[in-house]
Amino acid sequence: MEPLVSVVIPVYNAEKFLREALDSIVNQTYKNLEIICVDDGSADSSLSILEEYKDKDSRIRVFTKANGGGGSARNFGLDRATGDYLYFFDSDDIANKNLIEKAVARAVETNADLVAFNGYTFLDNDTNKKTFKSGFNKNILKDVNSVFSYKDYPDSILSIVNVVPWNKIVRRETVTAHNIRYDELSSSDDITYSVLCAAAAQKIAVVDNCLMNYRLGHSGTITSTYANKLFNVKYALESTQRQISKLPYADEIKISLYNFILDNYCFILSNYTYDFDTEQVEEFYKFLHNRFSDSQLGSLSRKQVRNEMTFALYESVKKYTYDEMLKIRSHDITVSLTSYPGRIAYVHSVIENIAVQTLKPKRVLLWLSKQQFKNGEEDLPQNLIDCVKRGEVEIKWSSDDLRSHKKYFYTMQEYPDDIVITVDDDLVYPADMVFKLYQSYISFPDCISCMRVHVIGVDKENKKILNYSKWLKQFTRDIFLPSTQLFATTGAGCLFPPGILDSRAFDKQHLLSLCPLADDIWLNLMALSKGVKTICCAKNFHLHYSAPQQDSLQRLNVDKFKNEEQFEAVKNWLEKDLGENYFYNTVCLPGNDIDLSNTLALIDYAEFLRSENMQTYKKLNKTYKEKSELNNKLQKTYDEKAQRGAEIKKLQKENIKLSDKIDELEFEIKKIKNSRSYKFALFLRKIFKRRK
């Protein structure tokens, strides 16, 4: 079978990339195509290029219309399509030559109404720097070989196939039977179409290969005019809900619909409302505040909302009015760190890491001690001076040396109204670290938010907090849930709301005498002294070092049990004012939102020791011990890193090319094996063997 595929290409001022896009379609290995090009009122030479290609290839049909946006152009092409399947392709993208062949083969094999596939995104002309873009959600779809529909995933069907036009072919009969259209908007026009196709399809299949390349950053492309179009998203989502409600099985997929609506509203709120004091954002937020509290969305539970960050933000929007949220979001973000002579040669990599964060802080401060750098900037490496010149960091000098405490001590006092994020001088941070911490802050403005936490172990029988070495390390099961039993590791990326700590946190005399080596112990106990809860906002953050570790404080504090010593000293000092067992009682507060009674993180450590998961904890401790050995090898690795970097990049590029080649060859082999000639050759071979 070779079903006809209608490829619909909306075109608007795309002359720079149009030829490359058209070449990738007309040269598809699958030939049974009709290529419908809709010029949406282009003011450049796009129409001339389309006519040129039309004269060369009879499969191309060219239409012109007044400019109406991407949705309008796609609908125009949809109305004129005659194929068995529809594929919507942008005029600046590049399709792999076997895209249609692989998608159709999967459709024929499974009789699917919709086939989704993966792709790559790339910036403008740089096809060498491609980023994988999944066409479907593997966190939901566990078996990529399965054929599925809403019956298999009633609570998540609308979130499996990503809502973009280019990652799917759809049976045209499915689209026309349900009158599925693109919303005629200047942006977000593809939301309704994609969601309704997934809801209406009785059979969905996927191809787990990257079949196309989606160009980012082209200002003329139909789908790139998205920024800050808040009410286009509102229109599209409300339109989607109205049309989904008409399906006979609408009630069965209600939770999936609500999750989809919340995810998209929260995504827009998180990424396109940084100018929060504008009239447009105010109107949008007030709409969300009411929408999230209405009869449909207002009573959703954490168990019903699949994404933890979405649920946290959803609850926050319900809780805070616009004026309250405006006040929460009115504070600048300052990232603060410190370093010393042994690490100063490496600190530039952390600063460069912060400079490319998806959410940029207002300022980055590096605190250095004049006692350690006698000659000031003359003692600093050129790579750090370059960071200063680029405006990536401001160096601040302190007269004394508070060791790791410098990272917060001066910044919080000099900028008391700022949100302060503390980082270390030897770690690699994910590009969305500041973003995640800030989203957690918006959701929980009265809590400390961090990328990495431990669970404070307690012995309920003896009513005491256990030694630091017996705590559960790096707990990531429950994110976006506040608890006084969570202990923030402050160097791994930790956000402190303005004024969250009182004056005791800046008592230099007691800081130096009781806890000179462990800023995280000092800060956590200071927060607990006020009953402040801590939140983990990342599930997969692990420590990756950017500098040698042979003289790190971690070795001294963990290996020589200095953490236990300092924790007890600070706790005992504070409890003279707060009362005996204050910290034990605070850690065991019944109001903690995290239920630690039935998991690895048992609130009673004695039960934890008796649990079957003890082996997991032993392995974790073993890993911590082995880490110090691995750190010894890091120095050599860093020296070799630059030399190996170019080779690794070269191999990665070759690997991508080979993967694509393997896909092509495997498909060719499959075709050969299915051919009559091959089967006849096998038959002759068997006869020959028998005669021989």
Side-chain angles (χ1 to χ4, degrees), residues 7 63-64 112 126 129 152 157 254 308 357 366 370 380 449 463 494 510 546 550 571 589 599 612 625 678:
V7 181
F63 300 91
T64 61
D126 197 353
K129 293 182 180 179
D152 303 290
I157 185 62
K254 179 174 63 176
E308 296 98 332
Q357 290 285 304
L366 172 63
K370 293 179 181 178
L380 304 182
S449 298
K463 293 188 176 181
C494 188
H510 283 95
S546 59
Q550 63 265 25
K571 178 177 74 70
L589 278 175
T599 69
E612 63 181 359
K625 290 179 181 178
Y678 182 81

Side-chain angles (χ1 to χ4, degrees), residues 323-457:
D323 290 334
E324 290 169 336
M325 183 58 72
L326 179 62
K327 185 176 180 181
I328 290 168
R329 296 182 62 152
S330 64
H331 303 280
D332 291 335
I333 302 172
T334 294
V335 173
S336 187
L337 71 160
T338 186
S339 192
Y340 61 98
R343 286 263 178 81
I344 199 67
Y346 304 94
V347 74
H348 72 96
S349 64
V350 178
I351 294 164
E352 291 163 356
N353 183 260
I354 301 301
V356 296
Q357 290 285 304
T358 55
L359 175 59
K360 302 294 189 291
K362 176 73 172 181
R363 61 184 65 84
V364 179
L365 304 179
L366 172 63
W367 288 94
L368 301 176
S369 170
K370 293 179 181 178
Q371 294 180 12
Q372 293 179 314
F373 299 91
K374 305 289 186 182
N375 300 310
E377 288 194 6
E378 293 181 11
D379 290 340
L380 304 182
Q382 186 60 45
N383 51 32
L384 176 56
I385 298 299
D386 291 340
C387 291
V388 175
K389 290 179 179 178
R390 291 193 297 265
E392 295 171 351
V393 67
E394 179 183 353
I395 295 176
K396 308 278 278 186
W397 296 95
S398 63
S399 57
D400 47 14
D401 180 20
L402 302 183
R403 305 195 72 162
S404 64
H405 293 274
K406 295 196 299 293
K407 71 162 66 91
Y408 70 88
F409 189 88
Y410 304 106
T411 297
M412 288 184 181
Q413 294 181 86
E414 190 169 327
Y415 298 93
D417 293 327
D418 278 14
I419 297 164
V420 175
I421 296 176
T422 57
V423 297
D424 272 351
D425 61 350
D426 61 346
L427 291 177
V428 178
Y429 298 97
D432 62 350
M433 176 194 68
V434 174
F435 174 82
K436 282 185 175 178
L437 290 170
Y438 189 66
Q439 295 310 305
S440 180
Y441 162 74
I442 290 172
S443 302
F444 304 98
D446 298 323
C447 298
I448 293 172
S449 298
C450 48
M451 301 290 287
R452 181 173 178 266
V453 299
H454 302 328
V455 177
I456 300 173

